[in-house]
């Protein structure tokens, strides 16, 4: 396949790298708004840097995007539309609104191309390890065509339903993880203030009913106060905002999610906009010990 990858952030860079692995046989061309990032990726991998969105998508069979939000996707889609080949498949791994996903699907359909909303879970570690979970909305026959391409960087790929269904699934995922992460922050802080060894506490809990991905993969960093990595507070706030907007339109009550959204805003105000969002622990820690210095500066 001739594959264009647009957006070389923490997720797009490793995804493009897996696709460029010669064992997969793909011809990969990348584009990022930061030309230096495209050039650096091409120097490191068996692929080419495109000078523009048009250059990237013009000959592509598959277009893969990983962008921050609806606004950036809209700009890129508008630039790409005149140059997309009929029959091309656009696979969007961004987390955007379900309405945006449906709109982009309609716009590409008018060009004789296809759009699948395919947000991912598994974080930066999953992208690096090639073990992402991908939840896909859109035409099922199109999904079947492109599913083998995603196998280069994903451990589990599931078709969820029509356009927008991938994004709704990702929103469901975020509803569940933010509540768990806040509970983990409270539990760890409670144990520390009680004088327990938090590492031993985690060791015990990971063998029982309270275990979670967050506990197994983020508890150590939360205990150490190390947040300079991973999925940022800013991006999680964006995702939770999409969730709350969608829930409001559906008249669904999400009180815990709304509360954690405010806590993420508090972390942002503490200077944690770029910290991994497990820095919810920092907010909790400072409530218990207001004089503590920032842990991740």
């Amino acid at each position: 396949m001739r594959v264009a990858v647009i957006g070389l952030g923490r997720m797009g860079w490793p995804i493009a790298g897996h696709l460029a692995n010669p064992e997969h046989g793909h011809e990969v061309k990348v584009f990022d708004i930061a030309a230096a990032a495209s050039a650096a990726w091409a120097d490191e991998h068996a692929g080419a840097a495109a000078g523009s969105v048009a250059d990237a998508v013009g000959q592509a069979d598959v277009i893969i995007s990983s962008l921050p939000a609806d606004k950036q996707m809209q700009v890129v889609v508008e630039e790409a539309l005149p140059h997309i080949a009929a029959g091309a498949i656009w696979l969007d791994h961004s987390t955007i609104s379900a309405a945006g996903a449906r709109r982009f699907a309609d716009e590409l359909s008018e060009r004789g191309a296809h759009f699948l909303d395919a947000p991912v879970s598994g974080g930066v570690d999953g992208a690096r390890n090639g073990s992402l979970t991908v939840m896909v909305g859109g035409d099922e026959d199109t999904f079947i065509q492109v599913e083998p391409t995603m196998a280069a960087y994903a451990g589990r790929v599931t078709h969820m339903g029509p356009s927008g269904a991938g994004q709704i699934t990702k929103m469901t995922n975020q509803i569940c993880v933010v509540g768990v992460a806040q509970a983990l922050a409270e539990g760890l802080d409670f144990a520390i203030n009680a004088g327990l060894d938090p590492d031993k506490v985690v060791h015990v809990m990971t063998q029982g009913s309270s275990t979670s991905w967050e506990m197994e993969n983020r508890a150590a960093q939360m205990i150490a106060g190390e947040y300079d990595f991973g999925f940022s507070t800013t991006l999680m706030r964006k995702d939770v905002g999409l969730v709350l907007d969608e829930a409001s339109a559906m008249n669904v009550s999400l009180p815990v999610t709304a509360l954690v959204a405010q806590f993420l805003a508090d972390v942002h105000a503490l200077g944690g906009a770029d910290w991994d969002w497990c820095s919810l622990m920092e907010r909790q820690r400072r409530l218990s010990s207001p004089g503590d210095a920032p842990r991740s500066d």
Side-chain angles (χ1 to χ4, degrees):
M1 295 286 235
R2 292 169 295 186
V3 182
V5 178
I6 301 174
L8 295 175
R10 289 175 171 173
M11 304 297 285
W13 182 291
I15 286 172
H18 288 299
L19 288 163
N21 187 319
E23 71 180 54
H24 298 301
H26 300 306
E27 180 182 324
V28 179
K29 184 178 281 191
V30 301
F31 174 79
D32 191 272
I33 193 170
S38 300
W41 184 93
D43 286 342
E44 188 176 311
H45 298 87
S52 65
V53 170
D55 179 28
V57 306
Q59 302 297 319
D61 303 304
V62 176
I63 301 160
I64 292 175
S65 51
S66 181
L67 299 169
D70 286 60
K71 180 179 178 180
Q72 290 84 356
M73 268 298 295
Q74 185 65 56
V75 170
V76 169
V77 170
E78 288 177 359
E79 291 182 14
L81 276 175
H83 309 282
I84 294 175
I89 299 172
W90 191 314
L91 191 59
D92 180 38
H93 293 318
S94 314
T95 298
I96 60 173
S97 67
R102 298 182 190 109
R103 182 174 68 253
F104 298 139
D106 289 343
E107 291 176 355
L108 263 78
S109 179
E110 292 174 2
R111 296 285 305 179
H114 311 279
F115 183 89
L116 299 176
D117 55 289
V120 300
S121 180
V124 176
D125 292 340
R128 291 172 179 161
N129 298 334
S131 60
L132 289 170
T133 294
V134 189
M135 46 213 89
V136 185
D139 176 70
E140 188 168 10
D141 290 338
T142 303
F143 165 78
I144 291 170
Q145 290 181 55
V146 80
E147 185 177 9
T149 305
M150 289 183 276
Y153 52 85
R156 176 173 294 181
V157 179
T158 306
H159 182 255
M160 303 305 302
S163 292
Q167 296 298 342
I168 295 295
T169 305
K170 178 62 181 288
M171 293 178 196
T172 305
N173 183 84
Q174 303 304 66
I175 291 168
C176 295
V177 299
V178 295
V180 169
Q182 175 60 27
L184 178 59
E186 293 179 18
L188 292 174
D189 187 55
F190 175 81
I192 291 167
N193 278 281
L196 298 178
D197 180 335
D199 294 320
K200 287 185 176 180
V201 171
V202 171
H203 173 74
V204 170
M205 292 196 299
T206 53
Q207 309 306 310
S209 60
S210 63
T211 192
S212 64
W213 186 96
E214 285 82 6
M215 186 181 295
E216 294 173 1
N217 292 274
R218 293 291 181 263
Q221 292 88 343
M222 293 168 80
I223 292 166
E226 297 173 354
Y227 316 116
D228 189 19
F229 66 94
F231 192 73
S232 73
T233 299
T234 296
L235 288 176
M236 183 55 83
R237 290 185 70 198
K238 181 266 297 183
D239 285 8
V240 174
L242 291 173
V243 167
L244 295 175
D245 288 345
E246 193 73 29
S248 178
M250 295 166 60
N251 197 30
V252 173
S253 175
L254 300 176
V256 173
T257 306
L259 189 60
V260 180
Q262 180 56 57
F263 293 169
L264 288 165
D266 293 344
V267 173
H268 189 283
L270 290 174
D274 295 325
W275 296 346
D276 184 272
W277 71 278
C278 75
S279 53
L280 282 166
M281 181 66 180
E282 194 62 31
R283 175 190 176 277
Q284 182 68 30
R285 180 179 277 123
R286 295 194 196 187
L287 286 175
S288 300
S289 303
D292 279 1
R295 304 296 182 99
S296 194
D297 289 354

